[in-house]
Amino acid sequence: RKEVEQDPGPFNVPEGATVAFNCTYSNSASQSFFWYRQDCRKEPKLLMSVYSSGNEDGRFTAQLNRASQYISLLIRDSKLSDSATYLCVVRGYGQNFVFGPGTRLSVLP
Amino acid sequence: ETGVTQTPRHLVMGMTNKKSLKCEQHLGHNAMYWYKQSAKKPLELMFVYSLEERVENNSVPSRFSPECPNSSHLFLHLHTLQPEDSALYLCASSQDRASYSGANVLTFGAGSRLTVL
């Protein structure tokens, strides 16, 4: 089983739609969690860290369920500019950042 | 500008050439990383340096040779590469390797796109 798994995608949604991505991780000792965004042929950029109580940044909401070893990202009111690949990242204490394979999102006009 | 600068941005080399990729971070971070991203594949961790000491070599072939002369600079020396080594090579840094604080995040450079002929 891979350490970090994500929805295979691609997700093709119309502008204004709400879309949710899921991520599961296998290492129960994982301590910190992140969502990164990667545009085509560009470097990954931090979208948001994910905190135990869940957190929101504008149209983006992240949730963490430690018991189920599951992380989610919700994007509301999708914009064309949200089109990208979304990478789930986890790490344990003193461990490396482990990246999921990513889920590609295309927001259509 | 992310605070992590990579040069060159694009590199084309033959299989017998020797070249180097350079990374410099201006964030005061103590850990630096090399990742490889091939087309349609996930990021692969290659090397990790913490306070200039190599702490991880992720089974990378010896034709890739990293060097970290100080905590701000990281090099990847390339020699006798194969066409399958063509990829985007990403440098990243983080505050340190141990802390699991949500603020201890990876910051990437823009990458060096390598083509091996």
Side-chain angles (χ1 to χ4, degrees):
Chain A
R1 182 184 172 189
K2 294 180 182 174
E3 284 193 72
V4 180
E5 299 194 71
Q6 296 186 241
D7 285 342
F11 283 53
N12 298 314
V13 303
E15 270 188 289
T18 295
V19 60
F21 301 140
N22 300 318
C23 170
T24 56
Y25 59 95
S26 60
N27 185 353
S28 59
S30 297
Q31 295 288 346
S32 49
F33 309 89
F34 312 90
W35 283 101
Y36 276 72
R37 168 200 170 122
Q38 186 173 23
D39 292 293
C40 187
R41 300 178 70 83
K42 296 286 184 72
E43 76 275 20
K45 293 184 178 177
L46 178 69
L47 179 64
M48 57 199 303
S49 299
V50 186
Y51 299 109
S52 295
S53 55
N55 47 299
E56 188 174 305
D57 183 1
R59 297 181 294 109
F60 299 85
T61 301
Q63 296 282 346
L64 168 64
N65 184 324
R66 286 186 185 271
S68 301
Q69 295 179 204
Y70 167 96
I71 307 157
S72 66
L73 176 68
L74 184 77
I75 305 175
R76 290 181 301 277
D77 188 23
S78 300
K79 311 291 185 192
L80 295 175
S81 56
D82 294 333
S83 297
T85 297
Y86 290 83
L87 303 166
C88 175
V89 184
V90 307
R91 78 186 285 255
Y93 183 80
Q95 302 297 311
N96 294 319
F97 294 83
V98 181
F99 283 76
T103 301
R104 191 156 59 89
L105 170 67
S106 291
V107 181
L108 308 173
Chain B
E1 182 60 51
T2 64
V4 181
T5 303
Q6 289 187 243
T7 55
R9 294 291 307 279
H10 300 273
L11 177 63
V12 179
M13 60 188 288
M15 289 191 285
T16 58
N17 292 158
K18 288 184 180 181
K19 297 285 185 185
S20 295
L21 307 181
K22 178 183 175 183
C23 177
E24 183 175 358
Q25 58 97 359
H26 308 276
L27 301 170
H29 288 170
N30 291 323
M32 295 188 76
Y33 309 75
W34 279 116
Y35 284 86
K36 174 184 178 183
Q37 189 172 39
S38 303
K40 300 189 187 302
K41 288 187 177 179
L43 282 158
E44 300 172 49
L45 179 64
M46 300 176 73
F47 301 103
V48 182
Y49 276 82
S50 178
L51 295 171
E52 302 144 47
E53 179 182 343
R54 190 191 309 181
V55 295
E56 183 130 354
N57 174 347
N58 215 22
S59 302
V60 179
S62 59
R63 57 186 185 269
F64 294 92
S65 175
E67 179 190 359
C68 187
N70 56 61
S71 59
S72 299
H73 293 85
L74 185 64
F75 294 89
L76 188 62
H77 303 299
L78 316 169
H79 61 100
T80 58
L81 294 191
Q82 305 298 312
E84 60 265 28
D85 297 322
S86 299
L88 180 67
Y89 289 85
L90 290 158
C91 173
S93 68
S94 67
Q95 283 179 359
D96 56 57
R97 195 168 171 266
S99 166
Y100 56 83
S101 158
N104 188 15
V105 301
L106 270 180
T107 301
F108 285 90
S112 295
R113 188 163 297 279
L114 172 67
T115 302
V116 181
L117 301 175

